[in-house]
Amino acid sequence: KHAQAAGADLVMAWPPYYGPRSEEGMHAFFKRLAEAVDIGICTYSSTLSELGYYLTPEQVAKLAEIDTVCAVKEASLSLDKYSAMMMEAGHLLAISSPLEEYHLYGLEAFGPEIMPKFLFGSSRPLYMQSAQKPHCADFMQAVERGDLPDARRALQDILRVAIQLHSKFLGKGQH
């Protein structure tokens, strides 16, 4: 309610840490949240240890039946899981990964009509982008132009930095 009162159009809600952490419990949580606010809801689906609950593609498809659930940040860091999520629910709501390489893969595999035009929660712009080296901005601008070869080139710059600074932690299931 605070986000809505502040003028937000969307709230990102993580699955609850406590209470019934089952498929039915998660659905009830998001249904109750949808009844409490009149803005869009994005849920977080992750296998990262600090979250500890992965919403399956089938659960997400069921959540898409709630009118205001409109997006999912799919952060499993698994191309198999991301692909399954896109195949099951990508046509129902916006599925976004925080990783540019998954976004590019999604464009290639599922097409621009299914892929959202944004990335949710990429931390990379915070630690690898500057006015002199706008790697992430270059990537998104290329995607927006539909220039996938240029997006691939920008992605190579992003990955060179990410591999050095971030990937070793993600590989251990840490954020």
Side-chain angles (χ1 to χ4, degrees):
K1 289 182 180 182
H2 174 74
Q4 182 174 335
D9 295 320
L10 179 81
V11 62
M12 181 178 279
W14 286 23
Y17 290 108
Y18 304 105
R21 293 178 57 93
S22 62
E23 184 173 338
E24 297 78 23
M26 290 298 152
H27 194 270
F29 170 78
F30 286 107
K31 189 168 177 57
R32 180 152 164 77
L33 178 59
E35 292 166 355
V37 297
D38 297 319
I39 58 176
I41 298 169
C42 173
T43 184
Y44 199 107
S45 179
S46 176
T47 55
L48 293 173
S49 59
E50 70 261 27
L51 182 59
Y53 193 88
Y54 176 70
L55 292 167
T56 67
E58 295 77 20
Q59 286 176 286
V60 169
K62 187 173 179 185
L63 287 174
E65 296 171 4
I66 301 171
D67 287 341
T68 54
V69 175
C70 58
V72 176
K73 178 180 176 181
E74 201 288 338
S76 66
L77 307 178
S78 161
L79 199 54
D80 289 345
K81 286 181 176 10
Y82 174 75
S83 296
M85 185 74 74
M86 290 299 297
M87 289 189 307
E88 180 75 26
H91 63 289
L92 301 173
L93 51 111
I95 309 289
S96 178
S97 168
L99 301 175
E100 289 82 359
E101 57 270 33
Y102 281 41
H103 191 79
L104 186 59
Y105 162 77
L107 281 169
E108 298 269 5
F110 303 104
E113 56 282 347
I114 291 192
M115 285 301 296
K117 302 203 181 334
F118 55 84
L119 285 121
F120 265 132
S122 177
S123 57
R124 288 174 172 170
L126 300 175
Y127 69 84
M128 70 167 47
Q129 180 161 292
S130 68
Q132 296 77 29
K133 296 179 181 180
H135 303 309
C136 298
D138 290 347
F139 174 81
M140 287 309 294
Q141 288 168 2
V143 166
E144 288 169 4
R145 289 191 313 270
D147 185 348
L148 296 186
D150 200 31
R152 284 187 211 99
R153 283 189 289 279
L155 179 60
Q156 294 304 312
D157 292 333
I158 291 169
L159 292 176
R160 272 193 279 293
V161 177
I163 288 166
Q164 293 296 313
L165 298 178
H166 201 209
S167 296
K168 64 183 176 182
F169 299 106
L170 293 177
K172 294 178 183 177
Q174 302 166 339
H175 195 255

